[in-house]
Amino acid sequence: MIVLANDHAGLDLKKEIAGLLDDMNLPYIDLGVNSRESVGYPPLAWKAAGTVRSGECDRGMLFCGTGVGMCLAANKVRGIRCVVCTDCYTAKLSRLHNDTNMLALGGRVVGPDLAKMIVRIWLETPFEGGRHAKRVDMIMGIEEGREPGV
Ligand code: RB5
């Protein structure tokens, strides 16, 4: 299951990506908002990240003006590794090397076609594991107050 959430600035892009997920026959839950009225992004990012943290959802996608605010807020939730992407290379490597479980996109930055390419790549690329697993574990250890080793 995939979770989607957006603020007013991410609404149009969220709709585009929801359409892509429909085409791909991938199930998702949409936490909104579905209005253009200005709304703060942190509660939306927090709620979506919570469903990934709990295991209710495997992955999440967040949409705001730049993707940055949503990404920052989501990464404050334990267990979340969220990336802002404006290119396909970062989308791919963030899965291969960083095992990202959330993707943030900026509705004022990336157009719908590029966003769809990014999303497809991000969804379809597996985590490489191996030496990268150790590094991801170090990142997650920081949440537990552990100093990362080398
Ligand atoms: C809203 O104007 C804007 O600040 C928000 O969508 C997002 O870009 C924040 O990072």
Side-chain angles (χ1 to χ4, degrees):
M1 184 65 72
I2 297 166
V3 63
L4 306 180
N6 60 281
D7 71 0
H8 53 289
L11 176 60
D12 291 337
L13 190 54
K14 187 275 302 283
K15 285 184 179 168
E16 292 279 353
I17 298 304
L20 173 68
L21 298 181
D22 289 335
D23 293 345
M24 294 173 80
N25 284 316
L26 292 175
Y28 61 89
I29 52 173
D30 178 2
L31 300 182
V33 294
N34 284 301
S35 144
R36 287 177 207 292
E37 208 173 303
S38 183
V39 64
Y41 53 81
L44 292 151
W46 176 79
K47 199 170 169 195
T51 70
V52 175
R53 161 132 188 89
S54 71
E56 184 190 345
C57 293
D58 314 293
R59 302 272 198 98
M61 289 185 244
L62 302 168
F63 308 86
C64 63
T66 59
V68 173
M70 282 285 198
C71 185
L72 290 174
N75 276 318
K76 296 293 181 191
V77 175
R78 263 172 207 268
I80 300 304
R81 293 178 299 281
C82 185
V83 62
V84 187
C85 281
T86 57
D87 69 279
C88 296
Y89 181 80
T90 304
K92 192 170 183 78
L93 271 288
S94 83
R95 286 290 310 134
L96 285 172
H97 290 188
N98 313 114
D99 198 18
T100 49
N101 50 16
M102 297 194 84
L103 170 67
L105 293 168
R108 293 172 178 162
V109 181
V110 289
D113 287 356
L114 174 57
K116 285 178 190 172
M117 277 188 200
I118 289 171
V119 166
R120 269 187 188 277
I121 289 168
W122 186 75
L123 286 174
E124 289 170 355
T125 304
F127 177 46
E128 206 174 282
R131 69 186 191 280
H132 301 294
K134 209 170 93 182
R135 293 164 186 171
V136 171
D137 285 348
M138 284 190 222
I139 296 172
M140 304 327 284
I142 295 171
E143 288 181 351
E144 313 301 329
R146 287 201 302 274
E147 186 181 334
V150 284

